[in-house]
Each structure stands twice: as structure tokens, then as C-alpha cells.
Amino acid sequence: MDTSDRDQLRRMLLERSMRFGEFVLSSGATSSYYIDVRKTSLHPAGLELISKLFWELLQGDDVTAVGGLTLGADPLVAGVMLRAAAEGRVLEGFLVRRSAKAHVLRGQVEGNLAGHKRVAILDDVITSGESALVAAEAAESYKAQVVRVLAVVDRDQGGAQIFRQRGYPFTALFNVSEMLAARPE
């Protein structure tokens, strides 16, 4: 993995995505910091760095599609698909709703998952791993094999262990302790 790209992304995440204070997380737990990776992934330079580093990690996995739970995965999926295309590879994408919509086809998955056998799940921040698991289970309901779960930041709060128990190889670009150690004083 290109260390200069990784260092640049870490700086950008610290500047744009990390906030310090008192926060109540979606799990109900409180935290002295909050990481909103979308502040970086929805910036062109941030998305380019994330996509490049994710694409490097996917080399050799022979995936034909990438996806994740909407909303955090949306820019990540699009970015990795475009990065793959720039490298001459066709990689399709899919997005998963937390629950199936109640109208039209009542689907939980949007995009291109049908027929893909080897997929990677992308996520912005991993805490418990629940979001990535919802996406992985949706992919498996289409008979796809989840060959890797990738995240930008792992909060080190149990998600990695859950993925290991489920047999999903997991890689995060950063863990939160590394981010906190790099925090400017």
C-alpha cells in the first residue's frame, strides 16, 4: 500500500472527518470523538485516495462486484468502480438498504448483484460491524461469496472479531488508535 497516499488520507480524515467532544453514537454509547468519513469520501481528493487504496487491497481477490450499506458505502462503491475502470477492469456495484423498500419490487438491493459470485463489502466506519453484516447477508442471499470486507476506519469495538467469526477477511485502512495517535495537539 502506498504510504504517501495513506499518510495523505490520514491527514485528510483528521482534518475533515474527525470531531472531538461528547457524542452519542447510533448504538447509544457515548464517545469523545466522532468519525464522519463521508466528509472525506464526498471530497474528490478524499474519494480518489480511498478508492486507490481499496483497489490495491482488492488485487488478487478476483471480485466482480463491490457493494455496501447505503449511505456510507455509496461514494466508496462508485469510487472503486471508477478506479477499476481506469485500470481496465469492469467491476459492478450494488447498494443495500437496511430493510427492503415497501413499494415497486420491494427490494433490499439496488444495482448489480445478481449473477456475481465473488464480491467485496465496503464500509466507511466499522464499530460493531452491523452495517457491513447486513450488506454481506444481502449479498449471500443472491448466492454471492463475500471474499473481503474493507473499511476506511475501524473503531476497534468488536467489528473485526465478528467478521473473523463469520469467515470474512477484513481490512481497514486505519484503526482508530492510529488516528488518535496522529491527532495534532
Side-chain angles (χ1 to χ4, degrees), residues 20 27 33 37 43 47-48 51 95 97 137 161 170 177:
F20 298 92
S27 67
Y33 61 90
V37 170
H43 182 279
L47 182 58
E48 183 176 19
S51 300
L95 299 171
R97 300 172 188 275
E137 289 167 0
Q161 292 81 358
F170 171 66
S177 57

Side-chain angles (χ1 to χ4, degrees), residues 5-85:
D5 287 339
R6 195 169 180 279
D7 291 342
Q8 187 178 351
L9 178 58
R10 179 179 29 251
R11 284 190 301 275
M12 188 174 238
L13 286 165
L14 285 166
E15 178 184 309
R16 299 182 68 86
S17 296
M18 286 200 75
R19 299 290 173 259
F20 298 92
E22 197 62 28
F23 301 95
V24 177
L25 304 176
S26 61
S27 67
T30 59
S31 177
S32 61
Y33 61 90
Y34 177 68
I35 307 166
D36 184 357
V37 170
R38 289 169 300 206
K39 297 286 188 187
T40 300
S41 67
L42 289 170
H43 182 279
L47 182 58
E48 183 176 19
L49 288 166
I50 293 167
S51 300
K52 180 180 181 186
L53 294 170
F54 273 5
W55 180 243
E56 287 176 11
L57 291 168
L58 289 172
Q59 299 306 302
D61 284 344
D62 196 29
V63 298
T64 58
V66 292
L69 195 69
T70 195
L71 182 69
D74 294 11
L76 307 176
V77 168
V80 171
M81 288 173 23
L82 288 172
R83 181 66 187 199

Side-chain angles (χ1 to χ4, degrees), residues 151-163:
V152 179
V153 179
D154 180 4
R155 286 183 58 103
D156 295 328
Q157 293 185 315
Q161 292 81 358
I162 297 293
F163 299 139

Side-chain angles (χ1 to χ4, degrees), residues 120-155:
I121 303 298
L122 311 180
D123 207 342
D124 54 358
V125 178
I126 296 292
T127 303
S128 67
E130 178 187 343
S131 295
L133 288 176
V134 169
E137 289 167 0
E140 289 173 338
S141 76
Y142 279 75
K143 307 297 184 231
Q145 177 188 4
V146 175
V147 298
R148 181 171 307 277
V149 175
L150 295 176
V152 179
V153 179
D154 180 4
R155 286 183 58 103

